[in-house]
Amino acid sequence: MSVRLTVAQALVRFLAAQHTERDGVRRRLITATWGIFGHGNVAGIGQALVEYGTLMPYHQGRNEQAMVHAAVGYARQSRRLQAHAVTTSIGPGATNLVTGAALATINRIPVLLLPGDTFATRPADPVLQQLEVPYAGEVSVNDCLRPVSKYFDRITRPEALIPAALAAVRVLTDPAETGAVTLALPQDVQAEAYDWPEEFLAERTWTVRRPRPDAAELDAAVRAVRAARRPMVVAGGGVKHSAAEDALRTLAERADLPVATTQAGKGVLPWDHPCDVGGIGHTGTGTANALARTSDLVIGVGTRYTDFTTASGTLFRPGTRFLNLNITGFDAHKQAAALPLVADAREGLTALAEALGDHRQDLVQWISSKRDWQEQTDAAYAAPDPRARPTQAQVLGALDTLVTTDDILINAAGSLPGDLHKLWRARSSDQYHVEYGYSCMGYEIPAAIGVALAAPGRPVWALVGDGTYLMNPTEIVTAVQERLPIKVVILQNHGYASIGGLSEAVGAERYGTDYRFRAANGGFTGPPLPVDLAANAASLGMRVLRARTVRDLREALADAREATVPTCVYVETETADSVSGAPPAQAWWDVPVAETSTRPSAVKAREEYDRHVTARRRHL
């Protein structure tokens, strides 16, 4: 039996019938589609969404990149077991997806991209917004999405949708190889009718695998842990994706293992758990980094070992061994001579804990160091004068006094990720949502919308600096339209504070990192620009609370937390020339400095760079 439908109608019907199953729980995979319509998708996917509106919910976006960010926020909050689709027109609508797709793939988060494409039959050539490539007639702007997609296909014939759609869902539900999936849809093919087999449109369940460790690799891992004198765990986002928090806690408690966390892993243990030692690496805590510098075995669980985590290869001492538990062999073999343990994080941790039995480490030396770090956090959070303008750290401190395990904090770029990784006291596994794989400015507000859709009723906070806000405020309108009571905290410091500090450190003298008028000599000078971001947020439909002092801030945050409409707290912190109030970096990060210069600041910065770079090592 067959059903006659257009390609777009068949795709929507197919997506609505796909499910995931893990640990005996079945969920719908694609729960909604985001879209901005134009030529290339309005008559195809647009009409299909009208045709099957009861099957496929639709969310109206304002910016194509932001729609992908919202979908990523939703999928991450759903532990990658549910996802959203995103449809756009051809041309700029499609190329605007590239940044969001890169973010999704780098962070291993599933999202389905459905960009319109130029005519497959080419009745008119070129059409509006078509890129002409003299040497390749089949190329379109959608080919920009190939390197940032985990799967890419262009559907030039109706029947080609069947294998392509199945392959797309296979990748979306693959716990090791997921990311952005792109099905480019020529506008004429979308509207073309075809007789579809009923089997293609039937409900289908995809099992999300939990591969167990190889016996030989597990034996080697156990021997390495038993032989280590100062082992530690570095937990990454894979622990959360696997829902392996309880398994990690069991292993850490049984063996007395200190657990440090990456940006993606922070919160896998609550901040006050005895084994939690905080963030690791360039933005990490003094406690975790001190342990890393003396550890002889690093047990990496679900981490990619980015340069921030390893302090650009300078954090761990020579001779340190690595045992990497990861669901991908690619990541399990990082750090050169690492022992791989390729498995699902929960299965691998459980097997390791059982195999170790009653083996314990006598490692309690981090307790006093952790207490010292918490005292530094208390000092950074403290605001003795309630009438003063708050520092950025004091803003976090004010929020820290309000939140419970229900609250979710979202951030991605600027100086806030560093302060949050060092200072924030995560109370639950999913409270800390910092996108630091791509560290994409403009992620926070749309991601908050996606998270709010995945976790209705929970307070969702988007923490943004003025630079990030100016990049992408448009989805505020979507939050208003969807009646989602997200809380947006805008920290106004009149410039790019994070890059300003980095610029100063590398001899670039903060050039072009603050918002001031242009001077006659080409530089920037004078007072901050008269830009009112609070008024802008209000013009987009948000309720806005202005906080001028610490006292105002505390009251505004408490008000926003209880609000039932999208609410913005606007606070002006110290200027870009001032520090955030958090302790300085606890480890190095490699940003190359000019090797020669006539400016003293650059010469001094190069001397400092040369001193640090000699500590870099490869763990062979």
Side-chain angles (χ1 to χ4, degrees):
M1 296 290 292
S2 62
V3 180
R4 191 161 183 81
L5 302 168
T6 69
V7 168
Q9 291 165 358
L11 178 58
V12 170
R13 284 271 302 270
F14 169 84
L15 293 176
Q18 306 306 302
H19 297 78
T20 63
E21 184 173 5
R22 189 173 75 176
D23 302 333
V25 179
R26 186 170 181 262
R27 303 168 177 84
R28 177 167 164 174
L29 173 60
I30 305 296
T31 62
T33 295
W34 289 86
I36 296 176
F37 296 114
H39 83 98
N41 71 336
V42 65
I45 294 292
Q47 191 281 326
L49 289 172
V50 173
E51 188 91 12
Y52 297 111
T54 57
L55 289 179
M56 180 62 70
Y58 165 71
H59 298 299
Q60 184 180 32
R62 270 74 198 174
N63 173 280
E64 291 86 359
Q65 179 188 138
M67 292 194 299
V68 186
H69 293 338
V72 167
Y74 178 87
R76 176 171 168 174
Q77 184 63 30
S78 303
R79 293 187 188 264
R80 307 192 305 177
L81 299 173
Q82 295 182 293
H84 283 166
V86 178
T87 180
T88 70
S89 62
I90 66 175
T95 51
N96 282 349
L97 295 174
V98 173
T99 296
L103 181 147
T105 296
I106 286 171
N107 286 284
R108 321 284 172 85
I109 303 295
V111 59
L112 177 61
L113 308 180
L114 304 173
D117 212 326
T118 53
F119 286 94
T121 53
R122 305 181 193 174
D125 189 33
V127 297
L128 177 66
Q129 299 179 327
Q130 179 177 337
L131 172 71
E132 293 185 273
V133 181
Y135 61 83
E138 84 281 6
V139 170
S140 81
V141 296
N142 285 329
D143 288 275
C144 295
L145 288 159
R146 287 182 184 270
V148 292
S149 297
K150 296 297 287 188
Y151 179 81
F152 179 98
D153 204 349
R154 180 177 284 110
I155 313 303
T156 57
R157 293 281 302 165
E159 57 268 38
L161 178 66
I162 295 175
L166 291 168
V169 176
R170 171 185 59 79
V171 175
L172 290 170
T173 58
D174 190 315
E177 296 299 329
T178 194
V181 169
T182 300
L183 295 181
L185 303 170
Q187 58 180 316
D188 51 344
V189 177
Q190 287 183 52
E192 190 173 342
Y194 184 74
D195 294 323
W196 302 93
E198 287 187 344
E199 293 85 356
F200 176 63
L201 305 175
E203 290 203 352
R204 183 177 277 102
T205 300
W206 301 74
T207 299
V208 179
R209 299 182 297 277
R210 286 193 178 279
R212 296 180 178 178
D214 175 80
E217 289 187 351
L218 180 60
D219 287 344
V222 171
R223 289 196 299 271
V225 176
R226 289 184 179 277
R229 296 175 60 84
R230 299 177 67 85
M232 70 179 298
V233 174
V234 174
V239 177
K240 294 184 181 182
H241 298 329
S242 174
E245 293 90 343
D246 288 345
L248 176 61
R249 181 185 297 108
T250 297
L251 174 64
E253 290 175 351
R254 284 186 183 178
D256 281 336
L257 291 172
V259 177
T261 52
T262 68
Q263 287 279 13
K266 189 175 174 74
V268 292
L269 294 180
W271 72 276
D272 55 355
H273 189 282
C275 293
D276 178 76
V277 294
I280 192 169
H282 178 66
T283 54
T285 67
T287 305
N289 287 341
L291 283 167
R293 291 185 178 101
T294 60
S295 178
D296 60 351
L297 177 68
V298 176
I299 307 169
V301 184
T303 177
R304 297 188 298 130
Y305 287 113
T306 67
D307 61 340
F308 261 62
T309 299
T310 67
S312 298
T314 65
L315 184 58
F316 305 107
R317 71 179 187 177
T320 299
R321 300 192 71 192
F322 292 84
L323 165 61
N324 296 334
L325 167 55
N326 204 291
I327 199 167
T328 72
F330 174 73
D331 289 317
H333 283 86
K334 286 181 177 176
Q335 302 303 317
L339 290 172
L341 187 60
V342 180
D344 169 77
R346 194 189 73 178
E347 295 298 315
L349 288 166
T350 299
L352 187 58
E354 291 175 352
L356 285 170
D358 59 359
H359 174 77
R360 302 181 72 89
Q361 302 291 332
D362 184 18
L363 294 175
V364 294
Q365 81 282 355
W366 72 79
I367 299 299
S368 61
S369 176
K370 179 176 178 177
R371 188 182 305 115
D372 292 342
W373 186 260
Q374 291 306 325
E375 289 175 357
Q376 291 186 56
T377 300
D378 290 339
Y381 279 176
D385 185 357
R387 299 165 299 176
R389 177 189 298 177
T391 65
Q392 183 166 282
Q394 288 168 351
V395 173
L396 300 182
L399 190 57
D400 177 78
T401 64
L402 287 175
V403 300
T404 69
T405 55
D406 284 342
D407 294 72
I408 303 170
L409 273 66
I410 300 171
N411 186 242
S415 57
L416 274 166
D419 289 358
L420 286 163
H421 198 208
K422 284 184 286 207
L423 302 178
W424 187 256
R425 293 163 169 167
R427 292 155 172 80
S428 61
S429 176
D430 65 351
Q431 180 177 87
Y432 188 87
H433 183 129
V434 173
E435 187 285 298
Y436 216 57
Y438 209 41
S439 189
C440 185
M441 296 177 73
Y443 172 81
E444 293 89 345
I445 294 173
I449 293 172
V451 170
L453 291 170
R458 295 179 63 178
V460 180
W461 301 85
L463 307 182
V464 299
D466 50 292
T468 289
Y469 180 85
L470 287 168
M471 287 274 185
N472 196 9
T474 55
E475 297 314 303
I476 285 175
V477 179
T478 303
V480 172
Q481 183 180 41
E482 298 272 351
R483 296 184 174 89
L484 295 171
I486 64 171
K487 299 90 172 59
V488 176
V489 181
I490 302 176
L491 293 89
Q492 170 66 280
N493 54 28
H494 303 289
Y496 302 117
S498 175
I499 293 301
L502 179 61
S503 173
E504 186 173 47
V506 299
E509 303 175 29
R510 292 185 176 266
Y511 184 80
T513 62
D514 57 4
Y515 302 145
R516 301 180 189 273
F517 290 99
R518 181 173 290 279
N521 64 358
F524 301 88
T525 188
L529 296 176
V531 177
D532 191 339
L533 301 184
N536 178 264
S539 75
L540 297 177
M542 279 203 118
R543 175 174 175 250
V544 175
L545 306 172
R546 293 177 183 262
R548 293 178 172 81
T549 67
V550 171
R551 181 185 291 114
D552 295 342
L553 175 66
R554 292 168 178 162
E555 294 173 356
L557 292 174
D559 188 335
R561 189 175 188 275
E562 302 303 318
T564 58
V565 297
T567 300
C568 168
V569 175
Y570 174 87
V571 56
E572 188 169 357
T573 61
E574 298 296 335
T575 66
D577 293 331
S578 301
V579 297
S580 68
Q586 303 298 302
W588 187 59
W589 182 44
D590 188 352
V591 177
V593 177
E595 194 167 0
T596 182
S597 174
T598 60
R599 301 186 70 85
S601 59
V603 172
K604 181 179 179 181
R606 181 66 194 197
E607 292 172 353
E608 185 71 5
Y609 177 83
D610 289 338
R611 183 177 69 83
H612 281 289
V613 80
T614 57
R616 193 202 316 275
R617 58 189 67 92
R618 295 186 183 276
H619 296 279
L620 301 174

